[in-house]
Amino acid sequence: MTYIPKPAVRHPGLGANELGLHMRDYEGTISTLCAGCGHDSVTAAVIQAFYELSIPPHRIAKMSGIGCSAKTPAYFVEQAHGFNGVHGRMPALATGANAANRDLYYIGISGDGDSLSIGLGQFCHAIRRNVNMLYVLENNGVYGLTKGQFSASADIGSRSKRGVPNKSEPIDPVALALTLGATFVARGFSGDKQQLIPLLKAGLMHKGFAFIDVISPCVTFNDHVGSTKSYLYTRHHGHELVPVDFVPIRSEISAPSNNGGRTSITMHDGSMVRFRKVPEDYDPTDRLSAYEHYRSLQNRGEVVTGLLYLDPSGEDMHDDNATTSTPLSEMSHEDLCPGSEQMDALMEEFR
Amino acid sequence: MTYIPKPAVRHPGLGANELGLHMRDYEGTISTLCAGCGHDSVTAAVIQAFYELSIPPHRIAKMSGIGCSAKTPAYFVEQAHGFNGVHGRMPALATGANAANRDLYYIGISGDGDSLSIGLGQFCHAIRRNVNMLYVLENNGVYGLTKGQFSASADIGSRSKRGVPNKSEPIDPVALALTLGATFVARGFSGDKQQLIPLLKAGLMHKGFAFIDVISPCVTFNDHVGSTKSYLYTRHHGHELVPVDFVPIRSEISAPSNNGGRTSITMHDGSMVRFRKVPEDYDPTDRLSAYEHYRSLQNRGEVVTGLLYLDPSGEDMHDDNATTSTPLSEMSHEDLCPGSEQMDALMEEFR
Amino acid sequence: MPEPGLDMADRTNDFAFKIGTVNGTGSASANGLIMQAIFRMGIPCTGKNVFPSNIQGLPTWYEVRVSGDGYSARTPEFDLIVAMNPATYERDIADVRPGGYLLHDSSWPMAKEFLRDDINFLGVPLGEMCVREFKGARVRILMKNIAYAGALAALLSMDLDVIRRMIREKFAAKPKLIGSNYKAIELGYDYAMEHFDCPLPIRLETMDATSDHVLMDGNTAAALGCVFAGATVGAWYPITPSTSLMDGFQRFCERFRKDPETGERNFFIAQAEDELAAAGVVVGAGWAGARAFTPTSGPGISLMSEFIGLAYYAEVPSVFVDVQRVGPSTGMPTRTQQGDIAAVAYASHGDTKHIALFPANPEESFHMAVEAFDLAERFQTPVFLVQDLDIGMNDWMIPKLTWDDNFAPDRGKVLGADELERIKKFYRYMDVDGDGIPYRSLPGVHPKGAYFTRGSGHTSRGTYTEDADEYTEVMDRLRKKIDSAASEVPSPAIEMREGAGMALVTIGSCDGAVREAADILESQGVPVDYMRVRGFPFDPLVREFLDAHELNFVVEQNRDAQLKRLLVTETEVDPARIHSVLDYGGFPLSAAFVAGEVNERLGLTPDDRKLRPAAERPEGAVA
Amino acid sequence: MPEPGLDMADRTNDFAFKIGTVNGTGSASANGLIMQAIFRMGIPCTGKNVFPSNIQGLPTWYEVRVSGDGYSARTPEFDLIVAMNPATYERDIADVRPGGYLLHDSSWPMAKEFLRDDINFLGVPLGEMCVREFKGARVRILMKNIAYAGALAALLSMDLDVIRRMIREKFAAKPKLIGSNYKAIELGYDYAMEHFDCPLPIRLETMDATSDHVLMDGNTAAALGCVFAGATVGAWYPITPSTSLMDGFQRFCERFRKDPETGERNFFIAQAEDELAAAGVVVGAGWAGARAFTPTSGPGISLMSEFIGLAYYAEVPSVFVDVQRVGPSTGMPTRTQQGDIAAVAYASHGDTKHIALFPANPEESFHMAVEAFDLAERFQTPVFLVQDLDIGMNDWMIPKLTWDDNFAPDRGKVLGADELERIKKFYRYMDVDGDGIPYRSLPGVHPKGAYFTRGSGHTSRGTYTEDADEYTEVMDRLRKKIDSAASEVPSPAIEMREGAGMALVTIGSCDGAVREAADILESQGVPVDYMRVRGFPFDPLVREFLDAHELNFVVEQNRDAQLKRLLVTETEVDPARIHSVLDYGGFPLSAAFVAGEVNERLGLTPDDRKLRPAAERPEGAVA
Ligand SMILES: Cc1ncc(C[n+]2csc(CCOP(=O)(O)OP(=O)(O)O)c2C)c(N)n1
Ligand SMILES: Cc1ncc(C[n+]2csc(CCOP(=O)(O)OP(=O)(O)O)c2C)c(N)n1
Ligand code: SF4
Ligand code: SF4
Ligand SMILES: [Mg+2]
Ligand SMILES: [Mg+2]
């Protein structure tokens, strides 16, 4: 149904994985996102991560809320079950599904509107609950699907352009996850698959809540407050210069593949973002220094990427609950129902 | 209507303030909380803070959600307008009221359930929006009004008793407020009025969002997970040893009035909490070092109190919005309505 | 010593009393003791808590109705009041029916202005005695409660052996408490025996009407239903009056669902961060194949409505228990009402309609809880168990619950791995069987079962759509599906009487009062038929019944006649046949009120009636 | 060259066409140009966007109906389709009515299998021409749109001067764009003139029927209403199709409410973190004395229900605009429906009932928006302005809006400092005037005005209560208050016809189609009366009208006959008098569908009818 041809996310060079499946077995339906959308790059990375890990497609549960980002689970692993719920409430659905069946691989895809505005409470509590899942936040600083309003992370990707002093901080999901005690915290960039794929794989393998904030530029509404070229500006000022519904076709942004610790990347709107990978000898197991490292580089205007924090202890919400190892959804009624004898005995206690 | 006599929060020794008002002019209706509840101590401190600041009672707006804590605005400054809204949504009401009338003193009283569970998103976004208000979180680690379920800050007051390792962290409102960029962050203890009153006064005078986390023990449901003496335990184990509806009358906990930097205080359940005041020479204007200071003492099992962070720049959400200085609620229709001429002109643009 | 029996006929096993105390003072134990003792004497009785929305220091009452005939509705007329709370003396004294009794602590004198000469004051120096006999404030407070129970035992002629046995059972784990409790009982008992003409005309006499029964509240019963139905995931956010349901579920699960050796648990309880999340957890778990539920009350239903709409449209089995309290908004959290009937029936924006079950008592709470899970999975939709504070939190006498070990849960049309393997292609929302119910697959079972669940427009094949016909096809099937549940939900309870020309129609906890009212009306020469609606969408019998009566009085506990509204729109019965009898002040309904209202509508003057005049209606009773 | 005019009678100023493109390609400007040109030629017209719920790359259509008679409803019959999206060729070609035209880009050959010989294919090599004439992908894409507008100008006989003037106005700020746009127009125009027999039988002819009118969408109109009503606080969370309302409010405020010197703004817009917060901001602001509103859609209403209940019970003025889209759940966000009527009327748990206004077009959106604030303050309660995507986002021709400078907002019973000073004691919820509406005070005004607002049980004095009578007193007054609004909301629009035996009843955006259907029916010898409900609670006239007709067809756009449900329960009219005509596939209603349905119910066979048969119903039309 799409008119604009998409770059096919096929890699014919790659053979079958351990399960004998090919890359295409991990693909989904054709994306309906804008040409060049960062989210499509993330999708490609997710496909490759699942493929490389040889995870059986039907053992994957793909969860999302509402948004451009939330649509993407339809675009990978078609033979996985997907649940595109309501806006901002994916964490609760994932918690419930995981409670019912602890044996699946849960991947949640969210947006910055979905996770940091309407869903902020659920996001924080999923961290606290330590749900065993990979939570990917496709962070573009805007509400893509409702046409470009600023999100709570609006500053992301445009730190250099901050104009008005003393405006309240954007909500930084990485700092938040570190503060709230997430057991796996990372940041990636949609344009850097080389870094992103290993992070996704690590997140999928992590037991507990694995959070990856992925900077994923919105090619269509990548505007800044105050910019006179911005979409909002055009829309709000009587005389139009460009038709309001024109979305130029652009190609995705990608990082040079063998960039070292630091890279500057130009976004679609011409702004520059300085990415900085965590150093080789970085120790991701100390939460407080992770926070310090992250914040101090941020204060220097750098967007840190890589695995920032990892709690290797390997417990999740089911361990806290001492849930039985058989998925609850697979228990037989006999195993669950106390039966008539217990009932009769119990009744004597209510006399 | 209360049966159990409350300690009268009168201080006959104190005279009239600058407005010629007495302490009793800042009192409210009689508390219906449990005897000895920390929240009543906070109420007393709030009364004194308003009195000392000589704020005209009717220029105060008292906002709250639902909970024992949320009831307390009824117990101070009877001649102030109060709004006891719905559970967890006080920040939105306060934002709206403040948007309408920027000239009042806004004080919001919340609980840890109200702010950190159902209201977490609103709490975080009120910080981000930098609403000009004093936000007091009466933190007791439990849901008092619904009878003692653990809240998201459950660990507060019982750090020493953490048993199960690797359970997810409690949500720490102070660390959260620091991370999210609150422009005033402090912690107090209901039992230490000497410290609390100045903090409340500073918070009321701060322009922007002033947050004070007040450790305010619940005398009735002050139990710990795993404790066999706990209320929950008693309730969940068939044979009762104490009637489930018996609430012993206890007196409030208070700290020695001239304690130095560190104090250990025994809670109603016998647990010990180690409070530590920020040092004399502490610089509260550096957010990152405030976070570090706070976290490292916390890691040593100490509950830091005092003014932790302050952004003195003095802007709030109205400055961001460039709102006119006259309260919007007081503008006349003439000032607001563009009128027929503008309408006629406008119509030509829609042809 | 006052003159007991003033103007009071013999009322053996047929009277009501209440005990007014201060909450937080531990009176629940003493009250439970009294109630249980009467029950163990074989006499039908019900107990109702009237408590404030705070933790300590405010007035609270426990109301007991003793009825040898088995009537269980609240009666707002009290033959005896134990007034332990000086703050409510005035109100309590006013509440005693003429000729009745007021038992109070005479350690301090009673204020003159409260005295009434048409009732009997029974002063017992409870405080004084306890100070004398016990040490420590805490023990004295607790023992004073037990002591008034002792006095009541003498006045009402309770079986002391029964009480002693109960104390022994209760403190089996802490035997040294037994002595002090015995002592306290005796203090009250002996004083009353000595000073009053015991027993009073309102008195107990052993019967054998309760041996097949238990005393249970509806939240406990519903929790048991969830356990026996095989629910494994419970999510909730605490809210009065539903909290004790999850407490019960947790308690029973700890007992029945935990491996005694490994400690492993066959259940997962999520105390969610709010009601939205609780609903989400339930929907997620239902989607993944668990039986999942959440207990809540009105405000929770409002907050859950977005998720309820998702579950309806995406067809995810999920069970919501609404323990109704007084609305709107926060309302009166510790009072009862039936104000969410309409909210639940069509919860969420857009076209929706939900299956709802309305138990009348804890026995039905249990059975309907079990049924709720079956219906949710059979129809792949949210199912509401709608009870109220009165059912949920009060002590009801119900037949012992029994369990049929042959019960097999109805998991609905779920395709297993083998079935999926066999079929050519699986389409999630296709009406294969023509009954409106599609087949479902669970995640993780088989690649062929995979589909993308969504709350946005979808086709019968489960794909995304914005096409009018494709959208409409699914919506029409949904309507058909839910409408077809009408004959699967519990059918209405109907009682026909000889010569009845009109009918009383009601729902939920009004049951007892309305059936008792029917007896009253019959005794007044006005026989009426009776129908209690038990499920939504309405069984076809409901319409038939309404049509068969020129005059249907619909009795319910809300201001806006919500059941009537539903009846009219859903059955399309002529509204002219339906009259509302409404009571919504927050107290359980009384039979006298219902009979009075009906009489009034029928134009009978008070003189025509044989029973109590309308003036004796409960507080807040309004037409 | 095909033979234009095949089987097509002259249809000057009476036809419909649509343009199928891909979203994100900038066609909106060209489409707007066409629409506006027709309008400026003085010919009544309406334009409807049919767009997908994504940002770029999916099919989208713009439908234009030209009607010299002023009919504005959507017609699902297209005389001409501009098919610019190869992905929808098949569908577009199938959608052309026999004898009609398909305009397409002939740069590439049209697939054989799509060809139909009962329509005319008009191939214009748009792509080719633009590649030849313009440079750069971006400009070529944009100019192709303008070029098809040029071709249409020739085919339909548009006034080229009008178009040129519009281009000049549009690019006044960037004059160098004017040339290329002129060029593109000419490309299409000249090609068509040369190759086809222009104009077609469907053609335009200048009239003078629009000079007092404007083209406007309902969200813009409602936004203007909010500005003129003096709303100062707007809170929202973005959601289609309500977003453009807040965009409009912001735009107008920046223009009219900002001090040109200081930049100070007389308004506050809060982009809230979600709908719960948006509702909270509105309630907080209303409480503090501002006129505040939030625009949203179905999912937002679900999420706001808790706060709505609070505002109802605590009596806080607040305005909620529901721009309805297709539900339930996320549904089809870019399609229209009237599925929230029931949800809005009784939103929130417990007994509630809300004032709601139902505009039929942007003109009413404006006036009712103003009225909503007056009603909210007069009745101190939430007021809902309920429109839909069709009204909110589509281009309607409406009379120029005018403003009466004598308008004085009704702020309701608000006590000022002087009044408070004078009265003895202020009781917030006392029915002083006996009209059910209490007096209100604003924070900060006077110490005597202070009270404690709450959503929990309260007395008429504004104090906390758990007492049945005190609670009931307030609830009964609330019922009385809201019911009394029935005669204050806009009264129904009623049109009676000579000899009519039955009636069409409808609501909101169905207006145009239903009135046109009444004309069709009359022309078929079936005169019908007409009523459009405009407010809730229903004006007494509504009941009168229904009672006066044996047969009332209630036409609405939802599956479950929500308006009918409300009519039956609220007016207690006999349901037997009411029949539903329902269309809910997401497209605006058409007159042919309504007339067809009525005919079918009346038992007329298609042969009896003079107009189009039922087969030509819009997609998704179901009885
Ligand atoms: C309850 C509700 N409110 C609002 C919306 C409208 N809405 C859809 S997506 C979206 C924001 C999406 O932003 P984000 O999560 O950042 O995703 P992106 O599109 O940028 O990937 C909004 C507000 C909705 N679908 N549901
Ligand atoms: C929507 C909603 N859900 C649940 C409740 C029940 N409820 C009332 S207070 C409360 C928790 C209060 O805890 P907290 O905020 O910590 O206050 P505390 O009583 O401990 O001071 C809850 C869950 C409610 N009133 N509304
Ligand atoms: S609008 Fe932005 S986020 Fe959405 S698909 Fe387009 S580029 Fe991606
Ligand atoms: S329950 Fe706890 S928080 Fe509530 S009033 Fe009592 S002591 Fe205070
Ligand atoms: Mg985004
Ligand atoms: Mg608390």
Side-chain angles (χ1 to χ4, degrees), chain A residues 116-118 120-121 124-125 127-130 150-154 164-172 175-176 178-181 287-288 291-292 295-296 299 311 313-315 320-321, chain B residues 116-118 120-121 124-125 127-130 150-154 164-172 175-176 178-181 287-288 291-292 295-296 299 311 313-315 320-321:
Chain A
L116 303 182
S117 285
I118 192 168
L120 184 58
C124 296
H125 279 270
I127 291 175
R128 179 170 135 78
R129 217 175 269 126
N130 202 12
F150 290 100
S151 80
S153 71
V164 193
N166 284 318
K167 283 236 170 167
S168 47
E169 295 277 305
I171 294 182
D172 182 323
L176 196 61
L178 286 171
T179 292
L180 292 170
R287 188 182 297 279
L288 189 48
Y291 189 92
E292 283 168 32
R295 281 299 204 197
S296 49
N299 288 345
D311 174 347
S313 63
E315 302 234 322
D320 291 350
N321 183 63
Chain B
L116 303 181
S117 285
I118 191 167
L120 184 59
C124 295
H125 280 270
I127 290 175
R128 179 170 133 77
R129 216 174 272 127
N130 203 12
F150 290 100
S151 81
S153 71
V164 192
N166 284 318
K167 282 235 170 165
S168 47
E169 296 277 305
I171 293 181
D172 182 322
L176 197 60
L178 286 170
T179 292
L180 292 170
R287 188 181 298 279
L288 189 49
Y291 189 92
E292 282 169 33
R295 280 298 204 200
S296 51
N299 289 344
D311 175 347
S313 63
E315 302 235 322
D320 291 351
N321 184 63

Side-chain angles (χ1 to χ4, degrees), chain A residues 112-113 138 140 142-144:
Chain A
D112 40 343
E138 297 183 345
N140 56 14
V142 296
Y143 293 2

Side-chain angles (χ1 to χ4, degrees), chain C residues 204-285:
Chain C
L204 302 163
E205 207 172 274
T206 303
M207 292 175 65
D208 184 23
T210 70
S211 56
D212 294 333
H213 289 71
V214 291
L215 280 181
M216 192 180 276
D217 65 66
N219 283 348
T220 301
L224 264 182
C226 295
V227 174
F228 277 74
T232 49
V233 177
W236 69 310
Y237 187 71
I239 187 166
T240 309
S242 75
T243 299
S244 58
L245 203 163
M246 195 51 103
D247 287 346
F249 184 73
Q250 168 126 25
R251 196 168 63 241
F252 294 126
C253 281
E254 297 282 357
R255 174 158 162 184
F256 298 127
R257 292 272 194 82
K258 205 157 89 179
D259 189 307
E261 274 152 47
T262 63
E264 278 185 0
R265 304 153 110 199
N266 288 345
F267 64 99
F268 187 93
I269 293 175
Q271 184 186 314
E273 58 272 29
D274 60 18
E275 285 87 348
L276 293 90
V281 169
V282 168
V283 174

Side-chain angles (χ1 to χ4, degrees), chain C residues 312 351-352 475-476 478-479, chain D residues 557-561 582 584:
Chain C
Y312 170 83
D351 288 308
T352 66
M475 285 298 287
D476 288 346
L478 275 170
R479 180 174 45 192
Chain D
Q557 293 194 284
N558 56 63
R559 186 193 66 180
D560 291 344
L582 306 170
Y584 47 95

Side-chain angles (χ1 to χ4, degrees), chain D residues 42 126 356 428 538:
Chain D
L126 294 161
R428 172 67 178 95
F538 298 126

Side-chain angles (χ1 to χ4, degrees), chain C residues 469 476 559 564 572 584 620, chain D residues 351 469 476 564 572 584 620:
Chain C
D469 290 336
D476 288 346
R559 185 193 67 180
K564 175 187 157 185
E572 305 217 332
Y584 47 96
Chain D
D351 288 309
D469 290 335
D476 288 347
K564 175 187 157 184
E572 306 218 330
Y584 47 95

Side-chain angles (χ1 to χ4, degrees), chain D residues 357-418:
Chain D
L357 312 179
F358 301 94
N361 51 54
E363 187 190 12
E364 286 193 346
S365 297
F366 172 76
H367 292 295
M368 289 190 184
V370 176
E371 200 161 352
F373 290 95
D374 275 5
L375 290 168
E377 291 201 297
R378 185 174 329 156
F379 290 99
Q380 303 174 20
T381 199
V383 171
F384 292 83
L385 179 68
V386 187
Q387 54 190 29
D388 58 26
L389 182 143
D390 182 25
I391 300 174
M393 293 188 70
N394 283 327
D395 296 322
W396 295 64
M397 183 180 119
I398 57 164
K400 278 181 184 166
L401 299 177
T402 56
W403 185 252
D404 176 0
D405 287 324
N406 293 318
F407 171 86
D410 182 349
R411 306 297 309 253
K413 301 184 185 175
V414 182
L415 295 175
D418 294 350

Side-chain angles (χ1 to χ4, degrees), chain B residues 32-39 68-69 140 142 144-145 216-221 247, chain C residues 55-56:
Chain B
T32 59
L33 303 184
C34 302
C37 177
H39 301 351
C68 293
S69 37
N140 56 14
V142 296
L145 192 57
S216 175
C218 170
V219 305
T220 303
F221 305 109
V247 179
Chain C
I55 305 300
Q56 184 194 61

